[in-house]
Amino acid sequence: MSWYLGLDSSTQSISAVIVDVAAGRLVEDASVSFSELPEFKCPNGFLAGDDPLVRHADPLVWLAGLDRLLQGLVDRGIDLSKVVAVSGSGQQHGTVYLTAGFLKPRAWVWAGDLVGTVRPMLARPTAPIWMDSSTSEECREITAAAGGVAPVQKTTGSPAIERFSGPQIRRFWKRDPDGYRRTAVIHLVSSFMASVLAGRSAPIDLGDGAGMNLLNLGTGAWDPGMINATAPDLAARLPPVVPSHTEVGPIAEYFVRRYGFARGTRVVAWSGDNPNSLIGVGGYAPGTAVISLGTSHTYFAAMRRPTVDPAGYGHVFGNPAGGFMSLICFKNGALAQEEVRRRHQLSWKQFDDCLRRTPPGNAGNMMLPYFVAETTPLVLTPGVVFTGSETFRAGGDADAMVRAVVEAQAYRMRLHSSWIADRTDAVRVTGGASVSREVCQVLADVFNARLERLETENSAGLGAALRAAQATGAGEWQRLTDAFCRPVAGQSVSPLAANVEVYRRQLPAFEAFARQGRGGQSLPHA
Ligand code: XUL
């Protein structure tokens, strides 16, 4: 028996990847979209609301999704008793607030399903997620209390950032002190899901813990100064922080009885989606950069030393294989492309056709794609900015609009990743939009780098499965990633010299446009 399960609780869906390590075979890659669970009102992963800066989810949708996902596997004849170990991946930064009941697993009464069991233990009915940008005031307060931007950045790997967990916790304490008092433990999405799987409150791993503005990267422990700057009595409410390969315990009896997991199936600490993807694309060692085109667009790589971004937009997280990883995140990822597609009523195929029809450089038509509040750079009032022809600016040219959003995303990624010092020999691309050859061509040309594509676009789920295998002794990173993370032959996308030249000339123009457009040029919250 050598099956390992990776679960991926992401923004818009939950998925499962099963690998058979002995056979070197991907057994299953299945997914449930939250739009299939309309009763939770999170079809795109978050609850509707009037304030564009506030983005919360109902954490129960992740649990209903997990039940549905596992039931679907069983219905398709997947024998889950073959799974030796399971780990997982969660959208980063989101926080779940739970009462003392959650800390007493023996008191958990598995009330028919996961939703019924956990609902009474929620101290706060909603969970702020990474899309939330509502905590600028709290970021400023934390920065001031912790002695300024530089110490916060040096200690935690990032300045205080709106979507990070610390500022989110502070906002909750300020706005709902009773709710905060009722809260016995605050989990990340990753550690919350791991807890439910193991039927006990699980620790937070170093990979995801680094996205909270609370972890001291030097000591690998919660930082007392950052904790005090964030909220009173917070230390008592945080789970312990552990290396990512830590075992959390055997799987809860619920999963044994309901889905046929073997009693004693090992649960390994979950991590964030980006740290998991780093493993899932085979990028665990420095030298490989990763572009992830999911709900958010991210650029990241394993790091030799935890160097911070002088501009203050990039982050340092824990690498689940040990050491650190860089990361830069763009909130206007998949949803920005979807918005252009929706406005011009295009299918994804037509979206690709638009790219095929338009010239690189887009005849000078450019866009700053701030459809939602952005974090890189910090833009709190959403609004798209255009420059170029009159028809383009008036929104009448669908072809140019599509190319403008894709090129802007590539330019922004190129410009904001320049602080990452480690040399990269390869760029691997993952996430939903990585299936589009046209989108990959723009990235290859803007970065002047060959882009390698992998078999699964769900690198976070695959990374979680490989982490479960490595942590429980099924193999070393090299062997596991060689077997499962090979780029698919014939699927790589090479830069085209003529296009590279166009973008080399256009990039400074975009940079100037972005600088005068909007968005901060200085360190956030300085
Ligand atoms: C990373 C970030 C997002 C989320 C959701 O800092 O906020 O990439 O992890 O994917």
Side-chain angles (χ1 to χ4, degrees):
M1 275 205 313
S2 60
W3 283 18
Y4 295 86
L5 167 63
L7 294 164
D8 174 25
S9 182
S10 75
T11 313
Q12 302 190 66
S13 61
I14 182 160
S15 37
V17 172
I18 300 176
V19 293
D20 182 337
V21 167
R25 182 173 72 93
L26 190 78
V27 176
E28 184 68 27
D29 188 346
S31 189
V32 168
S33 161
F34 297 137
S35 60
E36 294 172 41
L37 296 159
E39 62 275 30
F40 295 95
K41 301 192 169 60
C42 294
N44 294 313
F46 55 88
L47 295 155
D50 296 336
D51 187 341
L53 297 185
V54 173
R55 284 282 183 274
H56 287 211
D58 180 347
L60 298 175
V61 75
W62 309 325
L63 302 182
L66 178 58
D67 264 330
R68 181 175 286 217
L69 177 70
L70 295 176
Q71 189 58 54
L73 294 179
V74 171
D75 291 347
R76 279 203 303 288
I78 305 283
D79 178 2
L80 293 172
S81 75
K82 291 188 184 165
V83 172
V84 178
V86 43
S87 186
S89 158
Q91 52 172 312
Q92 294 198 256
H93 318 297
T95 37
V96 188
Y97 300 74
L98 298 138
T99 63
F102 198 78
L103 294 170
K104 298 190 202 98
R106 284 203 184 77
W108 288 28
V109 180
W110 295 99
D113 60 11
L114 296 177
V115 169
T117 302
V118 175
R119 192 195 299 275
M121 300 179 208
L122 289 178
R124 185 184 194 182
T126 64
I129 61 166
W130 65 275
M131 300 170 101
D132 192 284
S133 306
S134 66
T135 66
S136 293
E137 188 178 293
E138 289 73 17
C139 287
R140 280 191 292 274
E141 291 164 353
I142 291 172
T143 305
V149 179
V152 174
Q153 204 183 12
K154 186 164 185 298
T155 304
T156 72
S158 309
I161 298 283
E162 277 73 3
R163 71 188 189 285
F164 276 34
S165 322
Q168 293 291 343
I169 292 169
R170 181 171 178 83
R171 183 172 157 98
F172 180 52
W173 163 68
K174 280 169 55 185
R175 297 174 77 100
D176 184 2
D178 287 339
Y180 185 76
R181 220 169 292 123
R182 266 198 317 277
T183 303
V185 60
I186 302 171
H187 274 289
L188 289 179
V189 177
S190 58
S191 61
F192 169 64
M193 297 300 282
S195 303
V196 168
L197 209 58
R200 62 171 67 182
S201 186
I204 288 179
D205 92 302
L206 283 168
D208 214 11
M212 300 179 78
N213 279 143
L214 293 171
L215 186 76
N216 185 316
L217 292 185
T219 62
W222 300 127
D223 185 78
M226 291 306 302
I227 285 185
N228 290 339
T230 300
D233 302 320
L234 178 54
R237 290 175 167 83
L238 291 177
V241 59
V242 296
S244 312
H245 55 76
T246 305
E247 276 192 49
V248 168
I251 201 162
E253 187 66 16
Y254 172 87
F255 298 94
V256 174
R257 298 217 183 147
R258 193 152 170 153
Y259 302 116
F261 281 93
R263 204 157 275 129
T265 302
R266 297 156 79 175
V267 179
V268 172
W270 286 37
S271 189
D273 52 0
N274 295 293
N276 274 292
S277 282
L278 185 73
I279 303 294
V281 300
Y284 69 94
T288 303
V290 187
I291 291 175
S292 171
L293 305 175
T295 312
S296 64
H297 283 183
T298 53
Y299 179 101
F300 51 90
M303 258 183 155
R304 267 174 239 286
R305 267 180 298 282
T307 329
V308 295
D309 175 9
Y313 298 119
H315 316 299
V316 180
F317 294 152
N319 174 349
F324 301 95
M325 63 181 281
S326 56
L327 182 128
I328 187 101
C329 172
F330 303 90
K331 288 187 174 181
N332 282 280
L335 296 181
Q337 292 187 3
E338 268 163 37
E339 191 50 31
V340 169
R341 205 170 63 86
R342 195 192 59 77
R343 286 185 192 181
H344 295 277
Q345 297 175 358
L346 301 167
S347 66
W348 281 119
K349 187 187 162 306
Q350 289 167 326
F351 187 91
D352 282 351
D353 290 342
C354 294
L355 281 176
R356 225 171 280 129
R357 277 197 296 266
T358 42
N362 211 16
N365 293 316
M366 294 187 290
M367 161 199 294
L368 298 180
Y370 305 140
F371 291 90
V372 295
E374 182 52 72
T375 186
T376 311
L378 187 61
V379 176
L380 293 173
T381 312
V384 183
V385 186
F386 302 101
T387 183
S389 76
E390 212 168 295
T391 336
F392 171 71
R393 283 186 281 119
D397 185 342
D399 285 10
M401 209 52 90
V402 167
R403 182 161 279 279
V405 72
V406 173
E407 288 186 343
Q409 290 174 328
Y411 291 141
R412 281 153 38 72
M413 209 174 249
R414 169 85 199 261
L415 290 170
H416 288 287
S417 58
S418 58
W419 62 279
I420 300 170
D422 288 292
R423 211 175 68 88
T424 49
D425 304 318
V427 181
R428 292 193 170 173
V429 60
T430 179
S434 66
V435 297
S436 162
R437 199 180 172 88
E438 279 65 36
V439 169
C440 290
Q441 187 66 57
V442 173
L443 284 160
D445 294 338
V446 168
F447 276 85
N448 190 13
R450 204 167 75 99
L451 249 56
E452 298 174 339
R453 292 196 284 177
L454 302 152
E455 206 171 299
T456 172
E457 55 192 72
N458 184 3
S459 55
L462 175 60
L466 298 184
R467 287 201 311 102
Q470 190 273 343
T472 54
E476 294 308 317
W477 292 122
Q478 185 76 48
R479 185 168 89 76
L480 292 169
T481 53
D482 279 355
F484 290 99
C485 317
R486 268 191 312 271
V488 182
Q491 287 287 308
S492 293
V493 181
S494 294
L496 301 170
N499 300 356
V500 171
E501 186 48 28
V502 171
Y503 289 129
R504 197 186 56 76
R505 276 186 271 116
Q506 189 88 346
L507 194 63
F510 181 83
E511 193 175 11
F513 167 52
R515 199 171 304 123
Q516 45 157 274
R518 46 202 310 198
Q521 279 101 59
S522 60
L523 277 174
H525 314 303

